[in-house]
Amino acid sequence: MQYRFPEQFWWGSASSAAQAEGASLQGGKAPTIWDHWFEQSPNRFHQQIGPAQTSGFYEHFRDDIRLLKQLGHNSFRTSIAWSRLIPAGRGEPNPQAVAFYDAMLDELKAEGIEPFICLFHFDMPMSMQALGGWESREVIEAYAEFAETSFRLFGGKVKHWFTFNEPIVPVEGGYLYDFHYPNVVDFRRAATVAYHTMLAHAMAVQRYRELGQDGQIGIILNLTPSYPRSQHPADLKAAKIADLMFNRSFLDPAVKGEYPAELVELLREYDQLPACEPGDAALLAAGKIDLLGVNYYQPRRVKARSHAVNPASPFMPEWFFDYYEMPGRKMNPHRGWEIYEQGIYDILINLRDHYGNIPSYISENGMGVEGEARFKGEDGQIQDDYRIGFIRDHLIWLHKGLSEGCQCRGYHLWTFIDNWSWSNAYKNRYGFIELELESQTRRIKKSGQWFATAARENGFD
Ligand code: BGP
């Protein structure tokens, strides 16, 4: 076999509570920002499909876990919804939620599938947003309590925990670029949200360590390598600042327990530093992780700005760079994102050389396709050879990283079944399994069959 992977390599896929569970206001669950935002502005959501219309994992989890088994999975990531487990945000857990998550974890165990559980996947409870969301220190405390409750309830069954999924995304979406609630545009507030998220992360790690459970804790970051247009110093500087703002702002505190000095200096220079309190630095230092989840979709290509910044304009990351469309770059024709498989290798090499070769795994990678039903074959199965090629090519670069000493322990596709997504709803289909939304029927795509074989054989030719 040409590409053989290490024993115990994690083959699987990822999902999240808000995108798959459905039952968004049932079983005692309280609303999240998404329920609220959909009610307020349904037109922001593709075809006005909101978070209640999902693949119904809350109801169908047993069938879905059987399908995961058919997909050859030995591991699977999903999240616990804070607003389901603790509907008031703080206080007593909801017994229906405890029963659901217990049953889901038992089912995974019965099928021999290792659960990877994330504690926050963009789904801020509305009750907590009303307190200020991540701008509020009270919410940090509340989140740490929720994390501790989860560890105590499920720590016997879960050995891989993640505090956050892509914490930069609520910062960008909610406070810089207007695609998540509370849709404001304000860099200083964004910086506070980013900072408080990492304090919350560190507090959860600290609680986990205090409990002394037998397992690992980490965070999931969407690392987007920043490539400069050229080796000209101005382009190199532009790429470096983009990297500091979008990657190292989370990667450094998570792995090294502190922020990069250059980032702190930059924000200080522009008077954008969030307020710190005594004890924050020690808390951040206590938040070092055991395991890093890496979500990788596409790179960031940047160049030096071609026009000077208007100093009267609101401070934004783009004060320091422009985006650059590299000629000849390979695009996903079905979604408009660049495909650059080598990015996965570059990330792993960076972790090896600059982050102590921290154990990692690819926690998301995937290909969104609009109008995927047109690729159905005569028998009705989606013939997604493009996705097979995409996964295979990324795995080949991952494999090369392994052969050069990187500690990457697995690969999870985004996602196992076509799911609801933040305002895009079902426009971009990513799953190994096709979901027919109206009838809720499921059908494994060709890529799912390919992956099952690769997973069972632990490699491919
Ligand atoms: C990641 C998120 C996922 C998922 C994915 C695809 O950023 O962690 O939740 O949504 O992106 O993005 P989209 O659904 O917007 O195409």
Side-chain angles (χ1 to χ4, degrees):
M1 183 181 293
Q2 202 180 352
Y3 300 104
R4 181 175 294 284
F5 286 78
E7 293 304 315
Q8 316 290 329
F9 191 75
W10 297 319
W11 297 89
S13 58
S15 181
S16 82
Q19 294 176 272
E21 283 179 9
S24 57
L25 297 175
Q26 293 163 26
K29 182 179 167 296
T32 66
I33 52 172
W34 296 99
D35 299 300
H36 172 78
W37 208 19
F38 180 66
E39 200 182 281
Q40 232 189 22
S41 321
N43 290 334
R44 275 187 172 259
F45 293 75
H46 183 64
Q47 296 181 336
Q48 300 197 342
I49 299 177
Q53 277 175 274
T54 67
S55 52
F57 190 66
Y58 187 73
E59 188 187 338
H60 301 294
F61 71 95
R62 290 180 204 282
D63 294 336
D64 280 350
I65 290 171
R66 263 192 292 281
L67 285 169
L68 292 179
K69 192 68 191 169
Q70 283 184 43
L71 293 171
H73 285 30
N74 60 16
S75 47
F76 171 64
R77 167 166 67 105
T78 187
S79 63
I80 291 177
W82 183 356
S83 58
R84 186 182 296 288
L85 191 66
I86 306 182
R90 297 188 95 154
E92 288 307 304
N94 161 18
Q96 293 179 77
V98 177
F100 165 64
Y101 290 118
D102 259 332
M104 185 257 285
L105 293 168
D106 289 343
E107 198 71 28
L108 285 168
K109 181 154 196 238
E111 296 291 1
I113 299 170
E114 189 67 28
F116 286 41
I117 299 296
C118 180
L119 293 170
F120 191 92
H121 197 124
F122 310 162
D123 51 348
M124 177 66 85
M126 201 51 212
S127 60
M128 295 290 103
Q129 190 62 40
L131 297 177
W134 295 119
E135 289 181 89
S136 149
R137 292 225 172 205
E138 191 182 339
V139 172
I140 299 178
E141 278 289 340
Y143 167 81
E145 285 168 19
F146 155 62
E148 185 176 338
T149 302
S150 302
F151 302 146
R152 285 183 188 277
L153 286 167
F154 310 116
K157 300 174 182 177
V158 178
K159 302 297 166 204
H160 297 94
W161 291 99
F162 298 92
T163 55
F164 283 88
N165 173 72
E166 301 190 351
I168 185 93
V169 170
V171 175
E172 293 177 292
Y175 297 86
L176 287 177
Y177 306 120
D178 185 27
F179 59 90
H180 278 207
Y181 190 78
N183 55 305
V184 291
V185 178
D186 183 324
F187 189 93
R188 189 195 293 276
R189 290 175 68 182
T192 301
V193 167
Y195 182 57
H196 284 182
T197 308
M198 283 318 284
L199 293 177
H201 155 83
M203 210 178 272
V205 171
Q206 204 174 39
R207 302 270 175 111
Y208 186 68
R209 306 255 184 256
E210 280 163 11
L211 288 175
Q213 293 186 342
D214 158 34
Q216 294 195 314
I217 188 159
I219 193 167
I220 289 164
L221 301 179
N222 49 322
L223 298 178
T224 40
S226 288
Y227 297 109
R229 172 182 53 180
S230 75
Q231 294 303 302
H232 186 284
D235 286 338
L236 292 175
K237 188 173 173 201
K240 187 173 181 178
I241 294 185
D243 187 41
L244 278 170
M245 286 199 169
F246 294 110
N247 298 321
R248 296 189 58 194
S249 51
F250 291 92
L251 182 58
D252 282 46
V255 180
K256 299 181 176 173
E258 60 183 13
Y259 282 94
E262 293 152 288
L263 179 64
V264 176
E265 276 317 305
L266 182 78
L267 296 192
R268 181 171 293 132
E269 189 184 333
Y270 290 89
D271 194 24
Q272 298 291 336
L273 272 182
C276 302
E277 289 185 6
D280 285 0
L283 178 59
L284 282 175
K288 287 193 225 166
I289 55 171
D290 306 313
L291 174 67
L292 178 70
V294 175
N295 291 358
Y296 173 66
Y297 287 90
Q298 59 173 344
R300 180 176 265 109
R301 300 204 182 266
V302 296
K303 60 180 181 180
R305 280 185 61 98
S306 39
H307 303 290
V309 169
N310 172 0
S313 64
F315 182 83
M316 288 292 272
E318 287 74 11
W319 275 29
F320 303 97
F321 55 83
D322 273 340
Y323 287 101
Y324 163 64
E325 291 191 6
M326 188 179 77
R329 66 193 180 145
K330 181 158 102 187
M331 299 297 288
N332 169 359
H334 315 298
R335 197 214 154 148
W337 281 0
E338 181 178 347
I339 298 178
Y340 185 63
E341 302 87 348
Q342 189 184 329
I344 231 166
Y345 167 83
D346 293 346
I347 291 171
L348 296 179
I349 295 293
N350 183 39
L351 295 177
R352 184 195 69 183
D353 293 350
H354 302 289
Y355 292 88
N357 211 4
I358 175 108
S360 68
Y361 85 108
I362 300 303
S363 40
E364 282 182 34
N365 174 233
M367 188 179 186
V369 176
E370 277 189 54
E372 195 167 35
R374 76 197 131 114
F375 295 110
K376 279 190 182 187
E378 276 174 17
D379 66 352
Q381 186 192 44
I382 289 182
Q383 302 296 300
D384 53 346
D385 295 271
Y386 40 84
R387 186 170 285 110
I388 296 172
F390 179 98
I391 299 170
R392 198 175 174 280
D393 291 347
H394 282 84
L395 277 168
I396 290 172
W397 279 104
L398 190 161
H399 190 269
K400 179 169 161 58
L402 290 175
S403 70
E404 296 175 24
C406 300
Q407 287 208 64
C408 184
R409 306 262 164 91
Y411 177 94
H412 282 185
L413 186 83
W414 184 266
T415 175
F416 90 101
I417 185 167
D418 295 337
N419 63 6
W420 182 80
S421 168
W422 330 100
S423 74
N424 285 321
Y426 289 89
K427 190 161 73 172
N428 306 314
R429 301 289 183 125
Y430 285 88
F432 277 137
I433 298 172
E434 180 201 1
L435 173 73
E436 214 281 292
L437 190 57
E438 292 305 311
S439 62
Q440 288 280 307
T441 46
R442 285 124 155 91
R443 176 145 196 192
I444 296 182
K445 301 177 192 174
K446 189 175 175 186
S447 60
Q449 291 173 326
W450 179 87
F451 190 82
T453 306
R456 288 193 189 111
E457 295 180 355
N458 206 26
F460 51 84
D461 278 311

